[in-house]
Amino acid sequence: MFIKYVFTSSISSSVENDKSNASTVYLSLQKLDDYLNGKGNPFENNVFNIEMARFFTNISNVENVIFELLEIDPKIEYSGFFNNLMNFITLIPEKIEVEIIEPDFNESSLSSKIECSIFSNVSKMASLNKSLTRLIKNNYQIKPVPTTIFGSCCSRDIFSAFHKYNKTSNFKINMLTMNVSFSTLFGDPLKYDEENLNVENDNTKNAIIGDLTKSIPNAVIQSLNSDSIVILDFMDERFDIVECERCKFTKSWSIMNTKLYKNFKNTSTISFDDERKILDSINNAKRLISLLINYIPMKNIIINESKMAECFFKDDGFEYFDNDKYNISKYNDMHNAIVAELKKDFSGITFLDSPIYLNFGDTHHQWGTHPYHYNEGHYLCKVKKILLNSIG
Protein backbone atom coordinates (compact mmCIF):
# COMPACT_ATOMS: atom_id res chain seq x y z
CA MET A 1 0.00 0.00 0.00
CA PHE A 2 1.35 3.41 -1.00
CA ILE A 3 1.18 6.46 1.25
CA LYS A 4 2.69 8.95 -1.20
CA TYR A 5 1.26 9.63 -4.68
CA VAL A 6 3.09 11.72 -7.30
CA PHE A 7 1.24 12.76 -10.47
CA THR A 8 3.80 13.67 -13.12
CA SER A 9 4.61 13.71 -16.84
CA SER A 10 8.14 12.45 -16.23
CA ILE A 11 7.26 8.74 -16.44
CA SER A 12 6.93 6.65 -19.59
CA SER A 13 4.04 4.45 -18.43
CA SER A 14 0.76 5.12 -16.64
CA VAL A 15 2.00 3.90 -13.23
CA GLU A 16 5.54 3.40 -11.93
CA ASN A 17 6.74 2.35 -8.50
CA ASP A 18 9.56 4.25 -6.83
CA LYS A 19 12.40 1.75 -6.62
CA SER A 20 14.12 3.74 -3.88
CA ASN A 21 10.97 4.18 -1.75
CA ALA A 22 8.45 1.36 -1.60
CA SER A 23 5.78 3.63 -0.16
CA THR A 24 5.73 5.98 -3.18
CA VAL A 25 4.05 5.56 -6.56
CA TYR A 26 4.17 7.77 -9.67
CA LEU A 27 1.10 8.18 -11.88
CA SER A 28 0.76 9.76 -15.31
CA LEU A 29 -0.71 13.27 -15.51
CA GLN A 30 -2.06 12.44 -18.98
CA LYS A 31 -3.90 9.42 -17.61
CA LEU A 32 -5.19 11.51 -14.71
CA ASP A 33 -6.57 14.06 -17.17
CA ASP A 34 -8.40 11.30 -19.08
CA TYR A 35 -9.62 9.82 -15.79
CA LEU A 36 -11.01 13.10 -14.45
CA ASN A 37 -12.52 13.95 -17.85
CA GLY A 38 -14.47 10.70 -17.96
CA LYS A 39 -12.65 9.36 -21.00
CA GLY A 40 -13.14 5.62 -20.91
CA ASN A 41 -14.57 3.42 -18.17
CA PRO A 42 -13.03 4.27 -14.76
CA PHE A 43 -13.83 0.72 -13.61
CA GLU A 44 -11.98 -1.03 -16.41
CA ASN A 45 -9.30 -3.24 -14.91
CA ASN A 46 -6.18 -1.43 -16.09
CA VAL A 47 -3.22 -0.54 -13.90
CA PHE A 48 -4.07 3.17 -13.59
CA ASN A 49 -7.74 2.65 -12.60
CA ILE A 50 -6.77 -0.02 -10.11
CA GLU A 51 -4.20 2.25 -8.46
CA MET A 52 -6.74 5.09 -8.25
CA ALA A 53 -9.24 2.71 -6.63
CA ARG A 54 -6.61 1.74 -4.08
CA PHE A 55 -6.01 5.43 -3.44
CA PHE A 56 -9.69 6.05 -2.64
CA THR A 57 -10.31 2.88 -0.64
CA ASN A 58 -7.19 3.50 1.49
CA ILE A 59 -7.34 7.29 1.52
CA SER A 60 -7.22 7.54 5.32
CA ASN A 61 -3.69 6.08 5.19
CA VAL A 62 -2.37 8.41 2.46
CA GLU A 63 0.06 11.06 3.76
CA ASN A 64 1.22 13.04 0.73
CA VAL A 65 -0.02 13.84 -2.80
CA ILE A 66 2.19 15.78 -5.22
CA PHE A 67 1.18 17.33 -8.54
CA GLU A 68 4.36 17.89 -10.54
CA LEU A 69 3.35 20.27 -13.32
CA LEU A 70 6.79 21.24 -14.60
CA GLU A 71 6.06 19.63 -17.96
CA ILE A 72 2.51 19.15 -19.21
CA ASP A 73 1.66 17.24 -22.37
CA PRO A 74 0.62 19.79 -25.05
CA LYS A 75 -2.36 17.56 -25.88
CA ILE A 76 -3.90 18.45 -22.51
CA GLU A 77 -6.36 21.34 -22.60
CA TYR A 78 -5.07 23.56 -19.78
CA SER A 79 -8.26 25.27 -18.60
CA GLY A 80 -10.34 22.11 -18.32
CA PHE A 81 -7.43 20.20 -16.84
CA PHE A 82 -6.88 22.79 -14.10
CA ASN A 83 -10.59 22.92 -13.29
CA ASN A 84 -10.65 19.14 -12.95
CA LEU A 85 -7.54 19.23 -10.78
CA MET A 86 -9.12 21.88 -8.54
CA ASN A 87 -12.13 19.63 -7.99
CA PHE A 88 -9.90 16.63 -7.40
CA ILE A 89 -7.74 18.48 -4.88
CA THR A 90 -10.83 19.69 -3.04
CA LEU A 91 -12.07 16.15 -2.43
CA ILE A 92 -8.73 15.03 -0.96
CA PRO A 93 -9.05 14.98 2.87
CA GLU A 94 -7.43 17.96 4.58
CA LYS A 95 -5.01 15.88 6.67
CA ILE A 96 -3.17 14.81 3.52
CA GLU A 97 -0.33 17.12 2.55
CA VAL A 98 -0.95 18.29 -1.01
CA GLU A 99 1.93 19.89 -2.92
CA ILE A 100 1.87 21.63 -6.30
CA ILE A 101 5.11 22.15 -8.21
CA GLU A 102 4.98 24.45 -11.26
CA PRO A 103 7.56 26.13 -13.49
CA ASP A 104 6.16 29.60 -12.83
CA PHE A 105 3.41 31.31 -10.86
CA ASN A 106 1.33 33.39 -13.25
CA GLU A 107 -2.31 34.20 -13.82
CA SER A 108 -2.95 30.95 -15.68
CA SER A 109 -1.15 28.67 -13.22
CA LEU A 110 -3.00 26.22 -11.00
CA SER A 111 -1.43 27.79 -7.91
CA SER A 112 -2.85 31.20 -8.84
CA LYS A 113 -6.30 29.68 -9.26
CA ILE A 114 -6.04 28.07 -5.85
CA GLU A 115 -4.90 31.34 -4.27
CA CYS A 116 -8.19 32.90 -5.40
CA SER A 117 -10.40 29.98 -4.38
CA ILE A 118 -12.57 29.85 -1.28
CA PHE A 119 -11.10 26.59 -0.14
CA SER A 120 -8.05 24.44 -0.69
CA ASN A 121 -6.13 21.94 1.33
CA VAL A 122 -2.81 22.65 -0.37
CA SER A 123 0.06 22.66 2.10
CA LYS A 124 2.82 23.74 -0.28
CA MET A 125 3.14 25.40 -3.69
CA ALA A 126 6.58 25.70 -5.24
CA SER A 127 7.92 27.14 -8.51
CA LEU A 128 11.23 28.19 -10.01
CA ASN A 129 10.66 31.83 -8.99
CA LYS A 130 8.55 31.56 -5.87
CA SER A 131 7.82 29.20 -3.04
CA LEU A 132 4.77 29.46 -0.81
CA THR A 133 4.07 27.18 2.11
CA ARG A 134 0.54 27.13 3.40
CA LEU A 135 -0.17 25.42 6.69
CA ILE A 136 -3.78 24.49 7.19
CA LYS A 137 -4.61 22.88 10.51
CA ASN A 138 -8.36 23.25 10.36
CA ASN A 139 -10.34 24.49 7.39
CA TYR A 140 -13.63 24.37 9.22
CA GLN A 141 -13.72 26.94 12.01
CA ILE A 142 -17.42 26.40 12.63
CA LYS A 143 -19.45 25.11 15.50
CA PRO A 144 -20.99 21.64 15.08
CA VAL A 145 -23.72 21.74 12.45
CA PRO A 146 -27.11 20.48 13.72
CA THR A 147 -28.05 17.72 11.30
CA THR A 148 -31.24 15.81 10.54
CA ILE A 149 -31.13 12.77 8.26
CA PHE A 150 -34.14 11.25 6.58
CA GLY A 151 -32.71 8.73 4.20
CA SER A 152 -30.54 5.63 4.37
CA CYS A 153 -27.13 4.26 5.30
CA CYS A 154 -25.80 6.18 2.26
CA SER A 155 -26.22 9.41 4.24
CA ARG A 156 -25.45 8.02 7.68
CA ASP A 157 -22.12 6.61 6.51
CA ILE A 158 -21.00 10.01 5.18
CA PHE A 159 -20.78 11.26 8.75
CA SER A 160 -19.45 7.97 10.13
CA ALA A 161 -16.53 8.14 7.68
CA PHE A 162 -15.84 11.79 8.56
CA HIS A 163 -15.86 11.06 12.29
CA LYS A 164 -13.61 8.02 11.85
CA TYR A 165 -11.12 9.97 9.75
CA ASN A 166 -10.99 13.13 11.90
CA LYS A 167 -11.54 11.54 15.34
CA THR A 168 -14.04 14.35 15.91
CA SER A 169 -17.11 15.72 14.22
CA ASN A 170 -18.39 19.01 12.90
CA PHE A 171 -21.91 17.62 12.98
CA LYS A 172 -24.49 17.04 15.70
CA ILE A 173 -27.01 14.44 14.54
CA ASN A 174 -30.35 15.49 16.03
CA MET A 175 -32.42 12.90 14.16
CA LEU A 176 -31.70 9.85 12.02
CA THR A 177 -34.54 8.00 10.31
CA MET A 178 -33.84 5.19 7.84
CA ASN A 179 -35.71 2.37 6.10
CA VAL A 180 -38.78 4.49 5.38
CA SER A 181 -40.01 5.35 1.89
CA PHE A 182 -41.01 8.88 0.96
CA SER A 183 -44.14 7.37 -0.59
CA THR A 184 -45.46 6.44 2.88
CA LEU A 185 -44.68 9.71 4.70
CA PHE A 186 -48.22 11.08 4.54
CA GLY A 187 -51.59 9.36 4.60
CA ASP A 188 -53.75 7.30 6.94
CA PRO A 189 -52.08 5.96 10.10
CA LEU A 190 -52.42 2.33 11.15
CA LYS A 191 -53.62 1.13 14.54
CA TYR A 192 -51.31 -1.52 15.93
CA ASP A 193 -50.42 -3.41 19.11
CA GLU A 194 -47.05 -2.11 20.32
CA GLU A 195 -46.50 -5.32 22.29
CA ASN A 196 -45.97 -7.06 18.95
CA LEU A 197 -43.31 -4.55 17.93
CA ASN A 198 -40.42 -6.71 19.11
CA VAL A 199 -37.53 -4.47 18.05
CA GLU A 200 -34.58 -3.85 20.35
CA ASN A 201 -32.87 -0.99 18.48
CA ASP A 202 -34.51 2.31 19.45
CA ASN A 203 -33.77 4.06 16.13
CA THR A 204 -35.24 1.17 14.15
CA LYS A 205 -38.28 0.99 16.42
CA ASN A 206 -38.90 4.73 16.19
CA ALA A 207 -38.67 4.57 12.40
CA ILE A 208 -41.27 1.80 12.22
CA ILE A 209 -43.59 3.64 14.61
CA GLY A 210 -43.15 6.87 12.68
CA ASP A 211 -43.93 5.10 9.41
CA LEU A 212 -47.09 3.51 10.81
CA THR A 213 -48.36 6.63 12.62
CA LYS A 214 -47.28 9.13 9.93
CA SER A 215 -45.50 11.20 12.58
CA ILE A 216 -42.13 11.49 10.79
CA PRO A 217 -42.71 14.85 9.03
CA ASN A 218 -43.58 16.51 12.33
CA ALA A 219 -40.60 14.83 14.06
CA VAL A 220 -38.29 16.18 11.33
CA ILE A 221 -39.63 19.70 11.88
CA GLN A 222 -39.29 19.37 15.65
CA SER A 223 -35.63 18.33 15.27
CA LEU A 224 -34.63 21.56 13.51
CA ASN A 225 -32.74 24.62 14.63
CA SER A 226 -32.60 27.74 12.47
CA ASP A 227 -29.12 26.72 11.24
CA SER A 228 -29.86 23.00 10.79
CA ILE A 229 -29.09 21.06 7.66
CA VAL A 230 -31.39 18.28 6.49
CA ILE A 231 -29.99 15.40 4.44
CA LEU A 232 -32.48 13.51 2.26
CA ASP A 233 -31.73 10.53 0.04
CA PHE A 234 -33.79 7.99 -1.87
CA MET A 235 -31.91 4.72 -1.42
CA ASP A 236 -34.68 3.29 0.76
CA GLU A 237 -37.06 3.69 -2.16
CA ARG A 238 -35.65 0.27 -3.09
CA PHE A 239 -38.11 -1.27 -0.63
CA ASP A 240 -41.57 -2.40 -1.69
CA ILE A 241 -44.64 -0.91 -0.01
CA VAL A 242 -47.30 -2.73 2.03
CA GLU A 243 -50.92 -1.62 1.93
CA CYS A 244 -53.04 -2.59 4.93
CA GLU A 245 -56.35 -1.07 6.07
CA ARG A 246 -55.87 1.99 3.82
CA CYS A 247 -52.42 2.59 5.37
CA LYS A 248 -49.23 2.28 3.35
CA PHE A 249 -45.95 1.51 5.07
CA THR A 250 -42.45 0.47 4.01
CA LYS A 251 -41.73 -3.22 3.63
CA SER A 252 -38.32 -2.96 5.25
CA TRP A 253 -36.35 -5.90 6.59
CA SER A 254 -36.84 -4.52 10.10
CA ILE A 255 -40.62 -4.61 10.11
CA MET A 256 -40.83 -7.96 8.35
CA ASN A 257 -39.02 -9.55 11.31
CA THR A 258 -41.61 -8.35 13.84
CA LYS A 259 -44.59 -10.23 15.29
CA LEU A 260 -46.63 -7.22 14.25
CA TYR A 261 -45.98 -7.76 10.55
CA LYS A 262 -46.55 -11.51 10.75
CA ASN A 263 -49.97 -10.89 12.34
CA PHE A 264 -51.20 -8.50 9.64
CA LYS A 265 -54.18 -9.70 7.63
CA ASN A 266 -55.39 -8.76 4.15
CA THR A 267 -52.28 -6.96 3.01
CA SER A 268 -51.12 -6.25 -0.53
CA THR A 269 -47.68 -5.34 -1.83
CA ILE A 270 -46.79 -2.52 -4.22
CA SER A 271 -43.52 -3.00 -6.11
CA PHE A 272 -40.77 -0.47 -5.33
CA ASP A 273 -40.73 0.72 -8.95
CA ASP A 274 -44.48 0.80 -9.51
CA GLU A 275 -45.36 4.05 -11.31
CA ARG A 276 -47.94 4.99 -8.65
CA LYS A 277 -45.42 4.46 -5.89
CA ILE A 278 -42.76 6.55 -7.67
CA LEU A 279 -45.28 9.37 -8.16
CA ASP A 280 -46.18 9.23 -4.45
CA SER A 281 -42.45 9.41 -3.56
CA ILE A 282 -41.98 12.48 -5.75
CA ASN A 283 -45.06 14.28 -4.46
CA ASN A 284 -44.29 13.51 -0.82
CA ALA A 285 -40.66 14.60 -1.20
CA LYS A 286 -41.90 17.89 -2.65
CA ARG A 287 -44.37 18.23 0.20
CA LEU A 288 -41.69 17.63 2.84
CA ILE A 289 -39.27 20.06 1.19
CA SER A 290 -42.00 22.70 1.01
CA LEU A 291 -42.46 22.32 4.78
CA LEU A 292 -38.72 22.52 5.48
CA ILE A 293 -38.35 25.76 3.52
CA ASN A 294 -40.41 27.47 6.22
CA TYR A 295 -37.83 26.63 8.88
CA ILE A 296 -34.33 26.58 7.36
CA PRO A 297 -32.52 28.18 4.40
CA MET A 298 -33.12 26.40 1.12
CA LYS A 299 -29.42 25.61 0.63
CA ASN A 300 -29.47 23.74 3.95
CA ILE A 301 -31.85 21.18 2.42
CA ILE A 302 -29.46 18.67 0.85
CA ILE A 303 -30.46 15.92 -1.55
CA ASN A 304 -27.80 13.24 -1.32
CA GLU A 305 -27.79 11.78 -4.82
CA SER A 306 -27.01 8.13 -4.14
CA LYS A 307 -27.31 5.85 -7.11
CA MET A 308 -26.46 2.19 -6.67
CA ALA A 309 -22.92 1.31 -7.66
CA GLU A 310 -22.64 -1.12 -10.55
CA CYS A 311 -19.32 -2.55 -9.42
CA PHE A 312 -17.07 -2.96 -6.39
CA PHE A 313 -13.33 -2.98 -5.83
CA LYS A 314 -11.68 -6.08 -4.43
CA ASP A 315 -8.03 -5.26 -3.66
CA ASP A 316 -6.65 -6.04 -7.13
CA GLY A 317 -9.51 -5.23 -9.47
CA PHE A 318 -13.16 -4.40 -10.08
CA GLU A 319 -16.04 -6.86 -10.15
CA TYR A 320 -19.66 -6.23 -11.08
CA PHE A 321 -22.67 -6.63 -8.81
CA ASP A 322 -25.52 -8.88 -9.88
CA ASN A 323 -27.86 -6.38 -11.56
CA ASP A 324 -30.95 -8.59 -11.24
CA LYS A 325 -30.33 -9.51 -7.58
CA TYR A 326 -30.16 -5.87 -6.49
CA ASN A 327 -32.45 -4.33 -9.16
CA ILE A 328 -29.65 -1.85 -9.84
CA SER A 329 -30.85 -0.57 -13.21
CA LYS A 330 -34.46 -0.30 -12.06
CA TYR A 331 -33.50 1.54 -8.89
CA ASN A 332 -31.14 3.94 -10.69
CA ASP A 333 -33.80 4.77 -13.29
CA MET A 334 -36.25 5.51 -10.47
CA HIS A 335 -33.67 7.58 -8.58
CA ASN A 336 -32.86 9.66 -11.64
CA ALA A 337 -36.56 10.31 -12.29
CA ILE A 338 -37.19 11.47 -8.70
CA VAL A 339 -34.15 13.77 -8.58
CA ALA A 340 -34.94 15.23 -12.01
CA GLU A 341 -38.44 16.21 -10.83
CA LEU A 342 -37.08 17.84 -7.67
CA LYS A 343 -34.51 19.82 -9.66
CA LYS A 344 -37.34 21.26 -11.75
CA ASP A 345 -39.17 22.63 -8.70
CA PHE A 346 -36.37 23.41 -6.20
CA SER A 347 -33.38 25.07 -7.81
CA GLY A 348 -32.35 26.68 -4.50
CA ILE A 349 -31.75 23.50 -2.54
CA THR A 350 -28.43 21.65 -2.59
CA PHE A 351 -27.99 18.57 -4.74
CA LEU A 352 -25.03 16.57 -3.46
CA ASP A 353 -23.37 14.40 -6.06
CA SER A 354 -19.94 12.81 -6.46
CA PRO A 355 -17.69 12.17 -9.46
CA ILE A 356 -18.61 9.03 -11.39
CA TYR A 357 -15.21 7.49 -10.65
CA LEU A 358 -16.06 7.45 -6.93
CA ASN A 359 -19.29 5.52 -7.38
CA PHE A 360 -18.02 2.03 -6.59
CA GLY A 361 -18.43 -0.35 -3.68
CA ASP A 362 -15.69 -1.55 -1.38
CA THR A 363 -15.26 -5.08 -0.05
CA HIS A 364 -13.82 -3.60 3.16
CA HIS A 365 -16.95 -1.61 4.04
CA GLN A 366 -17.91 -2.29 7.64
CA TRP A 367 -21.44 -3.33 6.66
CA GLY A 368 -20.42 -5.64 3.82
CA THR A 369 -20.25 -5.46 0.04
CA HIS A 370 -23.45 -4.02 -1.46
CA PRO A 371 -24.26 -1.48 -4.22
CA TYR A 372 -25.15 1.10 -1.55
CA HIS A 373 -21.96 0.70 0.51
CA TYR A 374 -19.30 2.84 -1.13
CA ASN A 375 -15.58 3.45 -0.73
CA GLU A 376 -14.08 5.83 1.81
CA GLY A 377 -13.18 8.44 -0.80
CA HIS A 378 -16.84 8.67 -1.85
CA TYR A 379 -17.99 9.51 1.67
CA LEU A 380 -15.20 11.97 2.46
CA CYS A 381 -15.79 13.76 -0.83
CA LYS A 382 -19.45 14.28 0.03
CA VAL A 383 -18.86 15.42 3.59
CA LYS A 384 -16.39 18.06 2.39
CA LYS A 385 -19.03 19.37 -0.01
CA ILE A 386 -21.50 19.55 2.87
CA LEU A 387 -19.02 21.49 4.99
CA LEU A 388 -18.24 23.90 2.16
CA ASN A 389 -21.96 24.43 1.68
CA SER A 390 -22.32 25.16 5.41
CA ILE A 391 -19.58 27.79 5.52
CA GLY A 392 -20.21 29.29 2.06
mmCIF file of all heavy atoms in Angstrom, residues 30 57 73 130 147 157 227 245 251 256 292 363 392:
data_model
loop_
_atom_site.group_PDB
_atom_site.id
_atom_site.type_symbol
_atom_site.label_atom_id
_atom_site.label_comp_id
_atom_site.label_asym_id
_atom_site.label_seq_id
_atom_site.Cartn_x
_atom_site.Cartn_y
_atom_site.Cartn_z
ATOM 1 N N GLN A 30 -1.197 12.623 -17.813
ATOM 2 C CA GLN A 30 -2.057 12.444 -18.981
ATOM 3 C C GLN A 30 -3.201 11.488 -18.665
ATOM 4 O O GLN A 30 -4.354 11.735 -18.991
ATOM 5 C CB GLN A 30 -1.251 11.914 -20.168
ATOM 6 C CG GLN A 30 -2.071 11.601 -21.417
ATOM 7 C CD GLN A 30 -2.636 12.856 -22.058
ATOM 8 O OE1 GLN A 30 -1.899 13.763 -22.383
ATOM 9 N NE2 GLN A 30 -3.957 12.900 -22.216
ATOM 10 N N THR A 57 -9.889 3.810 -1.690
ATOM 11 C CA THR A 57 -10.310 2.879 -0.636
ATOM 12 C C THR A 57 -9.394 2.941 0.580
ATOM 13 O O THR A 57 -9.804 2.591 1.690
ATOM 14 C CB THR A 57 -10.357 1.430 -1.170
ATOM 15 O OG1 THR A 57 -9.088 1.093 -1.757
ATOM 16 C CG2 THR A 57 -11.451 1.262 -2.207
ATOM 17 N N ASP A 73 1.847 17.667 -20.981
ATOM 18 C CA ASP A 73 1.659 17.238 -22.366
ATOM 19 C C ASP A 73 0.857 18.292 -23.124
ATOM 20 O O ASP A 73 -0.207 18.724 -22.670
ATOM 21 C CB ASP A 73 0.908 15.904 -22.384
ATOM 22 C CG ASP A 73 0.925 15.243 -23.748
ATOM 23 O OD1 ASP A 73 0.608 15.935 -24.727
ATOM 24 O OD2 ASP A 73 1.246 14.049 -23.817
ATOM 25 N N LYS A 130 9.276 31.226 -7.098
ATOM 26 C CA LYS A 130 8.552 31.557 -5.867
ATOM 27 C C LYS A 130 8.205 30.274 -5.123
ATOM 28 O O LYS A 130 7.908 29.257 -5.734
ATOM 29 C CB LYS A 130 7.266 32.324 -6.205
ATOM 30 C CG LYS A 130 6.392 32.677 -5.007
ATOM 31 C CD LYS A 130 5.134 33.402 -5.478
ATOM 32 C CE LYS A 130 4.210 33.717 -4.317
ATOM 33 N NZ LYS A 130 2.966 34.373 -4.766
ATOM 34 N N THR A 147 -27.770 18.493 12.504
ATOM 35 C CA THR A 147 -28.053 17.722 11.300
ATOM 36 C C THR A 147 -29.213 16.763 11.515
ATOM 37 O O THR A 147 -29.256 16.038 12.514
ATOM 38 C CB THR A 147 -26.804 16.919 10.877
ATOM 39 O OG1 THR A 147 -25.706 17.822 10.699
ATOM 40 C CG2 THR A 147 -27.040 16.146 9.599
ATOM 41 N N ASP A 157 -23.520 6.996 6.598
ATOM 42 C CA ASP A 157 -22.117 6.612 6.507
ATOM 43 C C ASP A 157 -21.211 7.757 6.072
ATOM 44 O O ASP A 157 -19.995 7.689 6.263
ATOM 45 C CB ASP A 157 -21.960 5.418 5.555
ATOM 46 C CG ASP A 157 -22.536 4.133 6.144
ATOM 47 O OD1 ASP A 157 -22.850 4.134 7.348
ATOM 48 O OD2 ASP A 157 -22.664 3.140 5.405
ATOM 49 N N ASP A 227 -30.306 26.953 12.065
ATOM 50 C CA ASP A 227 -29.125 26.720 11.242
ATOM 51 C C ASP A 227 -28.911 25.240 10.921
ATOM 52 O O ASP A 227 -27.821 24.819 10.531
ATOM 53 C CB ASP A 227 -27.877 27.282 11.914
ATOM 54 C CG ASP A 227 -27.661 26.714 13.319
ATOM 55 O OD1 ASP A 227 -28.592 26.086 13.855
ATOM 56 O OD2 ASP A 227 -26.555 26.904 13.877
ATOM 57 N N GLU A 245 -55.292 -1.909 5.473
ATOM 58 C CA GLU A 245 -56.346 -1.073 6.067
ATOM 59 C C GLU A 245 -56.186 0.397 5.672
ATOM 60 O O GLU A 245 -56.199 1.288 6.508
ATOM 61 C CB GLU A 245 -56.332 -1.213 7.594
ATOM 62 C CG GLU A 245 -56.584 -2.621 8.088
ATOM 63 C CD GLU A 245 -56.484 -2.719 9.599
ATOM 64 O OE1 GLU A 245 -56.466 -1.658 10.266
ATOM 65 O OE2 GLU A 245 -56.432 -3.851 10.114
ATOM 66 N N LYS A 251 -42.002 -1.808 3.386
ATOM 67 C CA LYS A 251 -41.733 -3.225 3.634
ATOM 68 C C LYS A 251 -40.234 -3.422 3.848
ATOM 69 O O LYS A 251 -39.532 -4.062 3.049
ATOM 70 C CB LYS A 251 -42.231 -4.069 2.461
ATOM 71 C CG LYS A 251 -42.272 -5.569 2.739
ATOM 72 C CD LYS A 251 -42.841 -6.349 1.556
ATOM 73 C CE LYS A 251 -42.916 -7.835 1.849
ATOM 74 N NZ LYS A 251 -43.468 -8.595 0.686
ATOM 75 N N MET A 256 -40.445 -6.605 8.737
ATOM 76 C CA MET A 256 -40.829 -7.964 8.355
ATOM 77 C C MET A 256 -40.426 -8.992 9.409
ATOM 78 O O MET A 256 -40.967 -10.085 9.460
ATOM 79 C CB MET A 256 -40.209 -8.334 6.999
ATOM 80 C CG MET A 256 -40.915 -7.685 5.825
ATOM 81 S SD MET A 256 -40.434 -8.413 4.232
ATOM 82 C CE MET A 256 -38.721 -7.911 4.119
ATOM 83 N N LEU A 292 -40.034 22.175 4.940
ATOM 84 C CA LEU A 292 -38.716 22.525 5.477
ATOM 85 C C LEU A 292 -38.312 23.948 5.130
ATOM 86 O O LEU A 292 -37.635 24.620 5.921
ATOM 87 C CB LEU A 292 -37.665 21.546 4.927
ATOM 88 C CG LEU A 292 -37.778 20.092 5.384
ATOM 89 C CD1 LEU A 292 -36.785 19.221 4.638
ATOM 90 C CD2 LEU A 292 -37.561 19.976 6.890
ATOM 91 N N THR A 363 -15.114 -3.823 -0.798
ATOM 92 C CA THR A 363 -15.260 -5.081 -0.047
ATOM 93 C C THR A 363 -14.895 -4.916 1.423
ATOM 94 O O THR A 363 -15.225 -5.783 2.238
ATOM 95 C CB THR A 363 -14.362 -6.182 -0.654
ATOM 96 O OG1 THR A 363 -13.013 -5.712 -0.722
ATOM 97 C CG2 THR A 363 -14.843 -6.548 -2.044
ATOM 98 N N GLY A 392 -20.198 28.410 3.245
ATOM 99 C CA GLY A 392 -20.215 29.295 2.063
ATOM 100 C C GLY A 392 -21.247 30.384 2.185
ATOM 101 O O GLY A 392 -22.125 30.386 3.021
#
